[in-house]
Amino acid sequence: MTIPSENRKIMRNLKREQDYSWDRPTFIPPPVNLMSYVGAKYLLERGQEYNVTWGEATGWLFGKGGLDFMLSGDTKMHAQQKQIMGKALYRDQWNQHIKDFYEEITLKLLHEKSFKVAGMNMVDITRDVGNLAHIHFAANVFSLPLKTEESSHGVYSEHELYMVLAVIYVCIFLDLDPAISFPLRHATRAVAQQLGKLVEANVRSVSMTGMVAGIVDKFRENQNPLSDYGVHMVRRLLDSGLGVSEITWSQILPTAGAMVANQAQVFTQLLDYYLSPEGAPHLPAINKYAKLNTAEADDKILHYAMEGIRLNGTSGSYREAKVNDTINDGGRQVRVKPGDKVFCSFVQANREAEAFPDPDTVRLDRPLDSYIHYGAGPHVCLGRDASRVALTAMLKTVGRLDNLRRALGPQGELKKIPRPDGSCMYMRGDWGGYFPFPTSKLNRSLGA
């Protein structure tokens, strides 16, 4: 046993002193919790009074570039970063490109990953479809080094890249347990730096001009509705005046990390609702609309997706108070002071009758602006519109299958443990531990 000052000397000699805090332990006060719809809207729409809390984590993972990430702060510069990425993401005909891509990749994964058991078609819809579809999207949009049959020059397998981006998300947004924070942060930083160096090399290759760029582009052989999307995105970011390092560490890497696991999770959650006894009566209608393949039918499926997330989602958001304030949390007066961490849960808010009449019922006439699972205010999700298109395409493709249902018994259940704030921890596929995101939904039966 050694005293802290002696430990500090040891760590200094090992060149690891900077990895630890040498302050005396202090009490970490619990967050102030808001549970109502009106409380959540109040908190999220006041960006200057209630700041995002993720800057320290993005700085730790990605260095100075991470501090400049659009979700790392509430300054004018961070707002400009969001505008730059928005212009790069939403190019001409983005809606049709994303729709076509997700319909194609979802169908492809269903064919590749399904298998037969006792004459029934089975698939792990979470591990092999929901999680991987978003990995393929991110790899195409951000030119990530995903290794596939079409892209043999890639580095990461589908599941490896999913896990890297998932732990990045956890480290930034869900690092809530002090007991595991240290190993989580260090392990995540190692894999984030490894991925970042590969991304940076790719961005640098895109920045080349003339004959060299033409040679490099020939290696980007993956052909799909988003072919060349990532190359053009990088070039648009370069045209905005950002350098190679800025594009890598303040735009591409943190944006991909913030997107993939979260979007994969909501697909599993909404589909799990419609495969549950509560939501299953809606499957025939979803199947009917999916086969119509019209704009009007797609709009119905979009609303089914939003309702599934509302009724079965587990999202929420943290902010840090900068002012003394009293918040009306659905009739409950909540006092906050500067420095308080304030958490708004969307779980109870999404079932409030004042915001959603007939809150426990699926209704397709609710205004899209009423849903808050994409956030609100200055930090409303940049990918909200793209996500809606993607989830609609995925639900449409899966919902078109006849006799869609859960596998029998425990293997068809999404195993999870609820937490006090309404979120869940999900059992890993090997049942050896828990993870903040669904990793396996053993086997839903299809068309049998």
Side-chain angles (χ1 to χ4, degrees), residues 221-275:
E221 69 254 18
N222 195 14
Q223 297 298 312
N224 57 60
L226 292 182
S227 293
D228 296 329
Y229 202 112
V231 177
H232 292 301
M233 168 175 279
V234 171
R235 287 179 178 151
R236 283 193 294 275
L237 291 172
L238 287 166
D239 290 342
S240 73
L242 297 179
V244 170
S245 179
E246 291 174 289
I247 291 171
T248 302
W249 302 102
S250 68
Q251 294 284 355
I252 290 179
L253 206 56
T255 302
M259 179 189 73
V260 168
N262 192 39
Q263 293 306 302
Q265 172 184 234
V266 296
F267 174 72
T268 289
Q269 290 169 341
L270 75 88
L271 190 59
D272 186 58
Y273 174 77
Y274 289 116
L275 293 176

Side-chain angles (χ1 to χ4, degrees), residues 42-52 73-79 319-325 338 376-379:
Y42 182 94
L43 181 74
L44 299 178
E45 290 176 349
R46 288 163 171 77
Q48 296 305 310
E49 300 169 28
Y50 296 93
N51 291 177
V52 293
D74 294 272
T75 69
K76 183 178 180 180
M77 180 273 294
H78 292 101
R319 295 292 189 271
E320 181 177 337
K322 296 298 180 181
V323 295
N324 288 298
D325 199 4
H379 287 288

Side-chain angles (χ1 to χ4, degrees), residues 132-302:
L132 300 191
H134 295 288
I135 279 294
H136 282 272
F137 176 77
N140 278 273
V141 169
F142 301 114
S143 293
L144 303 182
L146 176 65
K147 187 173 185 177
T148 65
E149 292 182 0
E150 298 84 6
S151 300
S152 57
H153 59 278
V155 176
Y156 296 89
S157 71
E158 297 164 316
H159 293 101
E160 287 171 343
L161 189 54
Y162 170 81
M163 191 53 65
V164 169
L165 295 178
V167 296
I168 287 175
Y169 186 100
V170 173
C171 189
I172 295 173
F173 301 103
L174 300 176
D175 182 13
L176 307 176
D177 186 350
I180 64 172
S181 180
F182 183 88
L184 169 67
R185 285 164 63 92
H186 283 262
T188 304
R189 191 173 191 273
V191 296
Q193 291 291 318
Q194 181 185 58
L195 175 59
K197 290 175 182 177
L198 294 171
V199 172
E200 189 169 23
N202 177 72
V203 174
R204 185 170 289 107
S205 75
V206 175
S207 70
M208 297 175 183
T209 58
M211 182 176 65
V212 176
I215 294 172
V216 171
D217 286 351
K218 289 181 180 179
F219 289 96
R220 311 179 197 281
E221 69 254 18
N222 195 14
Q223 297 298 312
N224 57 60
L226 292 182
S227 293
D228 296 329
Y229 202 112
V231 177
H232 292 301
M233 168 175 279
V234 171
R235 287 179 178 151
R236 283 193 294 275
L237 291 172
L238 287 166
D239 290 342
S240 73
L242 297 179
V244 170
S245 179
E246 291 174 289
I247 291 171
T248 302
W249 302 102
S250 68
Q251 294 284 355
I252 290 179
L253 206 56
T255 302
M259 179 189 73
V260 168
N262 192 39
Q263 293 306 302
Q265 172 184 234
V266 296
F267 174 72
T268 289
Q269 290 169 341
L270 75 88
L271 190 59
D272 186 58
Y273 174 77
Y274 289 116
L275 293 176
S276 70
E278 182 182 356
H282 297 284
L283 282 177
I286 293 174
N287 181 265
K288 179 187 74 172
Y289 289 126
K291 292 178 177 178
L292 289 177
N293 198 30
T294 65
E296 294 76 13
D298 286 357
D299 184 67
K300 297 289 187 183
I301 296 174
L302 167 61

Side-chain angles (χ1 to χ4, degrees), residues 7 12 18 90 113 130 172 191 201 216 220 241 243 286 298 301 312 317 350 368 410 416 428 439-440 448:
N7 264 328
R12 184 180 299 130
Q18 70 281 359
Y90 293 108
K113 308 298 184 180
I172 295 173
V191 296
V216 171
R220 311 179 197 281
I286 293 174
D298 286 357
I301 296 174
N312 204 38
S317 193
N350 279 333
L368 290 178
K416 57 188 179 182
R428 297 201 311 254
T439 58
S440 180

